[in-house]
Amino acid sequence: MASKNLLVVLAIVAVALPSVAMAAEIWVGGDKGWTIDFDYQTWAKEKVFNVGDTLVFNYTQGHHNVIKATKIAFDSCIKPPQN
Ligand SMILES: *[C@@H]1O[C@H](CO)[C@@H](O)[C@H](O)[C@H]1NC(C)=O
């Protein structure tokens, strides 16, 4: 596990569901994790995300990454500065 980096990102997903829903830990991509050649749109289509859920991005450090971006930065494909 030493070469693996697990990044936990709190999901702030505006889904209009009752706030009584339990917060869930969701592993993005399931068994495939966060990688290339995987259809995340199809994967996400079957999922229900709620405010307070935790998304876990499991990926090989150095091969992939997860960066928090604004919508404008994402749409413009501009990588925000890292802290
Ligand atoms: C995380 O990903 C690695 C492959 O990169 C895999 O071997 C491992 O089982 C994954 N962990 C979980 C909990 O899915």
Side-chain angles (χ1 to χ4, degrees):
M1 234 22 204
S3 66
K4 304 291 187 267
N5 184 14
L6 301 181
L7 177 62
V8 177
V9 178
L10 290 178
I12 303 171
V13 182
V15 177
L17 286 176
S19 59
V20 293
M22 291 285 290
E25 184 178 272
I26 300 163
W27 285 66
V28 179
D31 291 345
K32 293 288 182 187
W34 188 241
T35 186
I36 57 173
D37 297 328
F38 185 84
D39 186 350
Y40 290 98
Q41 290 197 347
T42 298
W43 172 84
K45 206 176 278 181
E46 305 300 320
K47 303 284 181 290
V48 176
F49 301 98
N50 296 294
V51 173
D53 286 353
T54 299
L55 298 179
V56 180
F57 292 84
N58 183 25
Y59 59 88
T60 305
Q61 193 169 16
H63 291 188
H64 310 289
N65 58 26
V66 175
I67 296 170
K68 185 177 175 183
T70 64
K71 180 174 183 348
I72 292 170
F74 179 82
D75 289 346
S76 307
C77 202
I78 296 169
K79 182 180 161 190
Q82 298 295 287
N83 45 346

